[in-house]
Amino acid sequence: MADVTLRPAEDADLDALFEQMRHPEPVRMAAFTAKDPDDRAAFDAHMAKLRSRLDITLPAVTRDGRLVGTITGYVMDGDTEIAYWIDRSAWGQGVAGQALTLLPGAVPVRPLRARVASDNVGSLKVLRRAGFTVTGTEVSYANDRAAEIEETLLRLDWNTEPRMLGGSTGSVRSRDARRSPLRVTFRFGGNRNRCPADHWANPVESKGFPVSMQAVYVVKGMTCGHCASSVTEEVSQIPAVRDVRVDLATGHVTVSSESVLDTVDVTRAVSEAGYELTGRV
């Protein structure tokens, strides 16, 4: 099976994503797309807006190291929704399904909602296999069809045992887990609407795994080692934070803790260090 992973979207991905999102066949299937998929300026502006917002998660999907799409988590009318786009060349290879098994680490919120053009049979099948259930339909205007069409609404609630990162859905024996040095890490994306820590910690710890929480933030203005030290010192004072790593080349600050991180606390700590937190990866 191919190795499908999620990673932070990068500037270098934009050319490929633009080409993927303007391919006529996926555009036709998705239906609810940009007014003009060939408008690069509008695409760049839209992507810049998505990547700058704290309430949106936008990881890239890779297959054997090659960029093949994105999954987006965003808040609409108080509900957290997801949408994904997979390159036409990767259709029919299980990429979307595998990417959705990684979703709990990227968008750790329930319920999750999704909406798909009702004639997009492939996407409906992928979402149902991932645990989404149909909750209804509604009629909305679709740019690509230049008409109002029916879309199917779906919802994903908490499972009794959440899927582990990497797509594993098999059971783990407690005795083996306690003997193993492995750790299960949930990497949180940009959504403020976090799930309670117990939803993750209790099922996993019951199997003998220690639990850590991690988030990657974008911090503006860091240019030197002193900058990195100042941010590290302030963020490290947040209760439960156990590790802070600063990458000056990307402006990313990776914060690991033993409980769910509060973006407000991290933003305040970064501000006290003299810098600006502008988003999450």
Side-chain angles (χ1 to χ4, degrees):
M1 181 179 290
D3 181 23
V4 175
T5 61
L6 303 184
R7 63 162 174 78
E10 303 169 348
D11 290 343
D13 296 330
L14 296 180
D15 288 344
L17 290 176
F18 175 66
E19 293 301 322
Q20 292 173 15
M21 293 182 180
R22 66 193 288 261
H23 190 292
E25 189 173 357
V27 168
R28 181 69 179 173
M29 291 299 296
F32 300 94
T33 60
K35 291 183 179 180
D36 181 3
D38 294 322
D39 187 336
R40 179 58 191 261
F43 168 83
D44 287 341
H46 178 64
M47 292 298 289
K49 180 179 179 180
L50 293 182
R51 296 172 66 195
S52 68
R53 287 179 53 179
L54 291 175
D55 62 342
I56 291 179
T57 304
L58 184 65
V61 180
T62 67
R63 180 180 186 270
D64 292 334
R66 183 176 74 87
L67 177 70
V68 291
T70 63
I71 288 185
T72 307
Y74 57 96
V75 177
M76 177 177 288
D77 298 329
D79 293 324
T80 300
E81 299 198 9
I82 66 103
Y84 65 87
W85 193 285
I86 301 299
D87 184 25
R88 177 64 184 88
S89 67
W91 286 12
Q93 300 171 38
V95 173
Q98 291 182 62
L100 284 170
T101 68
L102 303 178
L103 198 61
V107 188
V109 178
R110 296 296 181 275
L112 278 178
R113 301 182 189 274
R115 53 182 66 221
V116 183
S118 294
D119 58 4
N120 190 344
V121 177
S123 284
L124 284 171
K125 183 181 295 185
V126 168
L127 287 164
R128 283 170 170 161
R129 285 178 176 173
F132 283 81
T133 58
V134 174
T135 60
T137 61
E138 66 179 39
V139 175
S140 303
Y141 183 82
N143 284 325
D144 182 71
R145 313 285 178 86
E148 290 190 340
I149 67 170
E150 182 185 89
E151 57 181 339
T152 298
L153 310 180
L154 303 99
R155 170 176 171 143
L156 178 68
D157 292 301
W158 288 108
N159 294 325
T160 54
E161 292 192 5
R163 289 187 175 102
M164 301 301 177
L165 293 181
S168 173
T169 57
S171 62
V172 180
R173 296 183 183 275
S174 299
R175 180 177 59 187
D176 295 338
R178 283 193 292 267
R179 292 176 180 175
S180 170
L182 295 175
R183 291 180 66 90
V184 176
T185 302
F186 298 98
R187 291 179 174 84
F188 284 77
N191 203 305
R192 292 176 184 268
N193 186 19
R194 299 177 307 278
C195 64
D198 287 350
H199 280 293
W200 296 101
N202 290 347
V204 176
E205 288 183 329
S206 71
K207 298 299 183 182
F209 286 92
V211 175
S212 64
M213 302 290 178
Q214 185 179 84
V216 183
Y217 300 91
V218 180
V219 175
K220 181 179 179 181
M222 299 186 300
T223 59
C224 62
H226 175 72
C227 305
S229 297
S230 297
V231 170
T232 299
E233 181 179 356
E234 291 294 339
V235 175
S236 294
Q237 295 181 37
I238 299 173
V241 167
R242 61 179 179 80
D243 185 59
V244 180
R245 298 180 184 273
V246 177
D247 186 337
L248 291 175
T250 61
H252 292 172
V253 177
T254 302
V255 184
S256 302
S257 73
E258 298 299 337
S259 63
V260 177
L261 294 169
D262 192 323
T263 301
V264 173
D265 292 337
V266 181
T267 301
R268 183 183 301 113
V270 169
S271 177
E272 290 176 355
Y275 304 95
E276 180 185 359
L277 190 153
T278 60
R280 278 187 180 179
V281 174

